[in-house]
Amino acid sequence: MYTQPVSIIFKQFHTQNFVNNKQNNSEPCDLVGNFCKTFVLPDEKTNHAIFDENLAAKIASYKEKSIKPVIDMLNTAKKESDITAGLFLLNRIIDAGAKGVENTYPVISKFNYNESHNIQVMLSGIYRKTLVPDAFGPLMTMFLKNSEHPKQIPFDPNEEIGGAILEYLRNKSAEHNYSK
């Protein structure tokens, strides 16, 4: 149950009693939007994204509280830079130790067959860390399509995609060894 902040005003006094601190709940939302504005995709001259590192760290520090605002943004994102920024933030949130990011698969899977190498690399990073079983097939498809039509400028996405595939295989092999 969500309760609204209660303001109590007496003639000379104004106090606020926040059962759920509204400012803290909306801050990750505002930060995600601001982060997307700072995010610049790689190009022919730069093989990495440019963004506000401090803002990314602050969003990631909210851990589980920042997952919903990022997913909400990804649900409506249309531009490659916004999608890439949102997926980048999910990667950072995982690195910060948040739990439950694997539950975002139904939302982020809509980008599985996107042709953007930036999006593919970010998805691969998330899948490598969460090992969602349903993501293995799309990773293989990305890898094979990119192998048929290689484009390595400004970077080769198959390096990250292949690494994610190897992590799945390594994990499956380790799981098999433990079952003996």
Side-chain angles (χ1 to χ4, degrees):
M1 182 172 109
Y2 178 78
T3 56
Q4 295 290 329
V6 179
S7 288
I8 304 168
I9 301 175
F10 296 100
K11 290 183 183 179
Q12 295 177 322
F13 305 100
H14 178 74
T15 62
Q16 289 186 330
N17 177 15
F18 287 97
V19 177
N20 285 337
N21 190 332
K22 187 175 180 181
Q23 182 180 4
N24 284 344
N25 287 340
S26 66
E27 187 173 19
C29 299
D30 297 338
L31 294 176
V32 169
N34 292 338
F35 179 77
C36 288
K37 291 175 189 170
T38 73
F39 198 87
V40 179
L41 292 170
D43 58 23
E44 302 81 36
K45 297 176 185 173
T46 309
N47 68 349
H48 60 276
I50 299 169
F51 53 87
D52 184 335
E53 177 64 42
N54 293 329
L55 198 50
K58 184 170 185 173
I59 293 167
S61 73
Y62 282 98
K63 297 183 182 179
E64 289 83 4
K65 290 181 182 178
S66 60
I67 294 172
K68 184 177 177 348
V70 172
I71 291 301
D72 288 347
M73 184 277 295
L74 284 170
N75 267 326
T76 60
K78 301 286 186 228
K79 297 187 325 188
E80 178 186 9
S81 62
D82 290 344
I83 296 166
T84 306
L87 295 172
F88 175 83
L89 287 173
L90 282 179
N91 266 300
R92 283 296 185 84
I93 292 165
I94 293 168
D95 292 343
K99 305 290 184 231
V101 177
E102 64 278 357
N103 298 328
T104 66
Y105 183 78
V107 174
I108 65 175
S109 67
K110 72 181 181 181
F111 305 116
N112 281 348
Y113 301 105
N114 194 297
E115 298 292 322
S116 164
H117 290 171
N118 295 303
I119 293 171
Q120 291 176 0
V121 165
M122 291 300 137
L123 280 173
S124 298
I126 293 168
Y127 295 158
R128 172 186 253 170
K129 294 169 187 173
T130 60
L131 296 173
V132 175
D134 290 347
F136 185 78
L139 284 169
M140 292 297 295
T141 301
M142 283 181 225
F143 189 85
L144 293 172
K145 280 186 177 181
N146 291 340
S147 296
E148 289 174 357
H149 306 289
K151 178 185 166 201
Q152 298 183 348
I153 298 174
F155 57 86
D156 182 4
N158 273 359
E159 289 181 23
E160 183 69 25
I161 296 166
I165 291 168
L166 288 173
E167 187 65 26
Y168 272 84
L169 296 175
R170 184 184 73 76
N171 201 290
K172 189 66 172 168
S173 174
E175 181 181 297
H176 177 67
N177 289 336
Y178 290 126
S179 65
K180 289 183 179 180

